[in-house]
Amino acid sequence: MKKLLISTVLLVGLSVSAYGQQRPPAPPHPSKAQLANSKASELDKRYRAEKKMILNHPVATKKMKNDQLKALNIRYQNENKLLRSAR
C-alpha cells in the first residue's frame, strides 16, 4: 500500500511539473488593419514630437523653423501616402 501511495504521488508530481513546462500558446498575430493603424499612430507621434522640438528650439530663427517645418510636413505627407498605399 505504501509503495502504491509513493508511486502515485511521484507520478502526479512528475505529470504536474511536465504540464507546467509546456509553452504558453503563441499570441495571435495582429491583422493587417491593426498593423497599419499602429504604424500610423507611431508616425503621428513621431511627427508631433519632432514638430514640438523644432518649435521649442532655443537658437533657431523663425525662418529656420519655417523651413524645417516645411521639410517635416513634406516628409510626413510622403510617409503617410506610402503607408496608405501599403494597405
Side-chain angles (χ1 to χ4, degrees), residues 19-48:
Y19 181 75
Q21 291 178 358
Q22 288 180 348
R23 289 187 178 180
H29 293 289
S31 68
K32 197 170 183 179
Q34 289 173 331
L35 199 58
N37 289 339
S38 69
K39 293 283 184 188
S41 67
E42 282 179 31
L43 181 64
D44 289 339
K45 267 190 223 170
R46 199 170 60 230
Y47 171 75
R48 285 192 301 267

Side-chain angles (χ1 to χ4, degrees), residues 35-71:
L35 199 58
N37 289 339
S38 69
K39 293 283 184 188
S41 67
E42 282 179 31
L43 181 64
D44 289 339
K45 267 190 223 170
R46 199 170 60 230
Y47 171 75
R48 285 192 301 267
E50 287 186 43
K51 186 175 179 181
K52 186 188 286 186
M53 283 177 28
I54 290 170
L55 291 175
N56 293 333
H57 195 279
V59 182
T61 64
K62 201 172 205 176
K63 185 178 185 317
M64 288 169 61
K65 288 180 183 182
N66 284 337
D67 292 343
Q68 287 179 339
L69 284 175
K70 282 180 187 174

